[in-house]
Amino acid sequence: MLTAMPFAGHILPVRAVAAELVRRGHDVRAYTGSAYVDAFAAVGATGVPWREAPDFDERNYVATFPRLRDRKGFRQLAINLQDMFVATAPAQSRDLLAAHARRPWDVLAGDPMALGTRFAAEHTRSPWTGLSPVPVMVPSASGPPAGLGLDPGRGLPGRARDAVLRGLASALAVPLNRAYRRARAQAGLRPDGHTAATMWYSSEQVIAAGSPALHGSPAVPPEIRYAGDLTDSGVPGPEAAPPFWWDDVVTSRRPVVHVTQGTAIVDPSDLILPAIEALASEDVLVVVGTGHRTPPLPRPLPANVRAGPMLPYDDLLPRTSVMITNGGFGGVLRALRYGVPLVVAGGDLDKPEIASRVARSGAGINLRTGTPRPATIRAAHRRIATDPSFRAAARRVGAELTALGGTRRAADLVEALVPDRGERGTR
């Protein structure tokens, strides 16, 4: 049984792992929102929809979680975690236990953000592994708290700053810790001593998208097993059809710059429109991916801009000189796998952390805001375009991601937890 929170950015990597496990002959189920059940069925897995858990629409969180309305920042992140992830965990667990009663599984492999996975694993005493499509963030006794996108402080003032921030983060996490204890009680489980920093992760194993170069701290805990780009199975998958203007990309003699805000950020004034303005007078071809949720862009577009909702990435990225992104992890990993350097405007949720990790790897520039000015974007693009060290670093990280094995490595790690046939026969 696999689990995945019903977000597009979580579904694609988990579905790719499901497809690889199906290819190897396993009976695979996937617990997720009803909107994505068919996506798993398309690769031969059986989708198990949220039933008791509130089956929300990722295009309209507020309809199900009203406290998420028009708020950003650290405090809003805590509310998101409480309402969308922790408070739904007991119902997720009940759904999973019902599925287990109908047909027991041998191994549970779960999206860490689907916290009901932990609860169901405890109830069933199943072998379970994390299957993380998002950056793994583990607490550290030194450095700033994970998730803020800050580099470790230098010298005594920097270490003092980090200590203060760790204390502040612990204080702000108190409501989330309480919510977790309350959720465990509602799920019929006793307190376990975990906190907001550790509740998400299996102590047995976490199969993680990414690589050590993008870990965020020098030491990688032994239970974290990086698998690279979890959409990379080595087998070509379905791609979006090329737009009518695609020959402009194929025949372009100018560098191609790709601009994307991913699937969750829908206001083009955050990044897409400033990037278009920044590059309108540059000698580049700007290719904008808007996604299906972004409102139509103002017309007419500058002569050097092409835009479409979904793009054929495996054809686009090998032709791309620089990618300007809000820091969605799946898109970042895919770009780096092709050796494309990045300008990252990470504004909220895990995006500032991703931007910081990209910059520390040398593969890109962290703009330190999700709403950069055109002049800032233009300067960052020019710097990357004229400094070959960024592309060299992107290629190094890309080589590491590829060497880690992608979904084949993830499937190996899941299979290793399957009990042998004799043990399975006694269950």
Side-chain angles (χ1 to χ4, degrees), residues 178-387:
R178 289 182 185 141
Y180 175 65
R181 291 193 295 270
R182 185 164 57 248
R184 287 188 64 84
Q186 292 170 355
L189 297 168
R190 295 180 179 179
D192 63 358
H194 280 291
T195 69
T198 61
M199 67 176 75
W200 315 102
Y201 303 118
S202 169
S203 58
E204 298 177 47
Q205 177 178 268
V206 179
I207 303 167
S211 71
L214 298 171
H215 179 66
S217 62
V220 179
E223 67 272 15
I224 297 175
R225 309 292 180 85
Y226 279 108
D229 178 4
L230 287 183
T231 65
D232 178 20
S233 64
V235 178
E239 280 284 336
F244 70 89
W245 43 258
W246 188 247
D247 280 349
D248 295 345
V249 177
V250 174
T251 61
S252 178
R253 295 181 178 276
R254 296 176 291 176
V256 174
V257 179
H258 176 42
V259 178
T260 175
Q261 283 185 190
T263 57
I265 306 300
V266 298
D267 185 350
S269 65
D270 283 357
L271 178 60
I272 289 176
L273 296 181
I276 289 174
E277 181 180 343
L279 301 176
S281 60
E282 301 291 288
D283 188 23
V284 296
L285 179 65
V286 181
V287 178
V288 179
T290 61
H292 289 308
R293 297 177 57 208
T294 300
L297 302 181
R299 300 287 175 168
L301 294 172
N304 69 336
V305 175
R306 306 290 183 272
M310 304 300 289
L311 303 172
Y313 259 38
D314 284 335
D315 283 336
L316 172 62
L317 291 174
R319 307 174 191 274
T320 298
S321 63
V322 178
M323 178 165 149
I324 299 173
T325 173
N326 73 323
F329 201 45
V332 163
L333 294 182
R334 205 163 180 186
L336 289 173
R337 183 155 57 87
Y338 283 98
V340 178
L342 303 157
V343 175
V344 189
D348 213 348
L349 301 176
D350 59 356
K351 307 298 190 297
E353 182 70 22
I354 294 167
S356 176
R357 294 184 185 192
V358 167
R360 272 181 264 170
S361 75
I365 293 174
N366 178 8
L367 297 185
R368 302 182 184 277
T369 177
T371 55
R373 295 177 299 173
T376 303
I377 298 172
R378 186 183 307 113
H381 170 259
R382 287 179 177 177
R383 183 180 167 199
I384 284 186
T386 57
D387 184 345

Side-chain angles (χ1 to χ4, degrees), residues 47-86:
V48 178
W50 286 29
R51 297 192 184 280
E52 286 203 45
D55 192 7
F56 63 89
D57 183 346
E58 66 175 319
R59 296 167 298 181
N60 185 13
Y61 303 133
V62 176
T64 307
F65 307 106
R67 292 206 301 165
L68 273 59
R69 184 183 301 276
D70 296 330
R71 296 178 180 176
K72 296 182 179 181
F74 189 87
R75 290 184 181 275
Q76 182 57 33
L77 174 59
I79 291 174
N80 291 357
L81 294 174
Q82 288 180 55
D83 292 10
M84 191 181 293
F85 300 99
V86 179

